[in-house]
Amino acid sequence: MSELSLESSLKRFSTRFAVSADLTREGKELIPGGYSRNSFNFGPHAVFAESGSGAYIQTVDGHRLLDLNNNYTVNVLGHSHRSVNDALLDAIPGGFSFGNPSSAEAALARILIDRIPSVEKIQFSCSATESCMSAIRVARAYTGRTKIAKFEGGYHGFSDLLQISAHPNPELSGPADAPNALPDSGGIPDVDVQNIVALTQNDLASCERLLRANAEDIACVILELQSGAGGLVVLDQEFVEGLRALTTELGMLLIFDETISLRADYHGLQGLYGVVPDLTVMGKIIGGGMPLGAVGGSADVMEVLEDGRVSISGTHHGHRLALIAGAACMEALDRSAFDRLNGMAARVISEINEWSASRHSPFTMYGRGFSHMAYGYMREEGLSIRTHRDYWTNLDAEKTQIISLELANRGFFPVHRGEVSLSLPMTDDDITSFIETLKAIVEELEV
């Protein structure tokens, strides 16, 4: 019988992070759930951070953890990176809250346009959620159509029109080749749900049938090339190429949400696929740890933002400090930085999967192969994740949760659902320690 159980792991977690539990209880008197980002709940509650330096965070409970969450992939340079800190400290004395534009906006725009193959013009917001909303408005205005096609398990922020079928109820989702669109939250109007055509990842035949059936109404198809918050799924090369050809034929815009996957390569994940979308949504790393989102695309499509067809504006859009921090971060992410990040990722995936195969273990690491990847304990050896629905059928959710809790109990801070993102200051020893700890946890599970 296994030495580990969900009950024992939760008990150790509650003891180890007791101060965080106390702060959660105190916070609940003031804030629903205890804090404003309940997605950070890790088992019974979130872990409160006191500070961060390099690849590590220090918790209020007195523990130093290797940060494998990195604010859901934001902190690609780790914490308190010198170039970002220096850029912000230099900028603050000159003021930071202006409605007036600053030269910092064009500076970051130029960096992103030079790197991202599809982007000729760009507009900034405060978050990727906002920029996804902007992308949809642009697509609707450009095409004159209303409906949106998106994938089960695809998360594009918490707006009413897009927080649909990212975490659908399996009992209500309908057949895989014709999924029901389902709201992920109360308070989302039926009209928004009715304007969504839900699709299944890596099933080009069903996607083609549904897109053709709704061709006169669909403005755009929005997707993540490797999904994140709805569960990590990598799209096949042929599938993405097929969608590009199909959307072009049917007059729909193709939107790549690269909020997370921009950290995959110097040219973003679209650069590795070699497929050019009409619009690209960006976030996370482009703000260098400050709140920032962007949508960019071809000059033709982005023209609707300049000729009066589309109006988008926010008090903090183009915020000077976020732009300055973002430029410092992106400049630090040169080609050698991506090579190092992806080299560490390749080592984690290869060493763990070779080890798992040697012992015929169902545990696996998976992903496209860059510095955001997932781990999971499958129900049996040989199973994989190719669609969101595979999480319902192929993944042993309880054992995967035990692994996440035990990582936290042993000095590591992953994403609780079974994902990790690496940061540039991580050392070879950090990676070795993570790999060996993960092996030890799985071995204990399999006793």
Side-chain angles (χ1 to χ4, degrees), residues 286-306:
I286 70 165
M290 299 289 282
L292 191 66
V295 59
S298 69
D300 177 53
V301 173
M302 295 293 285
E303 178 68 19
V304 301
L305 288 161
E306 194 160 359

Side-chain angles (χ1 to χ4, degrees), residues 359-428:
R359 57 190 282 116
H360 301 288
S361 171
F363 181 74
T364 185
M365 299 286 309
Y366 55 100
R368 170 79 188 206
F370 65 94
S371 59
H372 174 236
M373 66 199 94
Y375 58 86
Y377 202 96
M378 300 299 156
R379 296 188 186 277
E380 59 184 63
E381 186 183 4
L383 295 178
S384 62
I385 303 292
R386 286 185 40 76
T387 75
H388 177 73
R389 294 189 179 211
D390 289 336
Y391 279 97
W392 310 344
T393 57
N394 294 353
L395 184 77
D396 188 321
E398 181 171 309
K399 287 183 177 178
T400 302
Q401 181 65 14
I402 291 170
I403 292 167
S404 296
L405 287 164
E406 283 303 312
L407 283 169
N409 290 339
R410 303 180 194 201
F412 303 86
F413 187 63
V415 177
H416 61 88
R417 60 180 174 251
E419 294 172 25
V420 299
S421 62
L422 308 181
S423 64
L424 201 57
M426 289 180 181
T427 66
D428 291 342

Side-chain angles (χ1 to χ4, degrees), residues 218-230:
I218 294 177
C220 60
V221 178
I222 186 169
L223 59 88
E224 299 167 284
L225 293 164
Q226 176 180 285
S227 55

Side-chain angles (χ1 to χ4, degrees), residues 244-255:
R244 174 68 282 183
L246 188 60
T247 52
T248 299
E249 177 194 341
L250 299 177
M252 304 167 186
L253 296 192
L254 183 63
I255 304 172

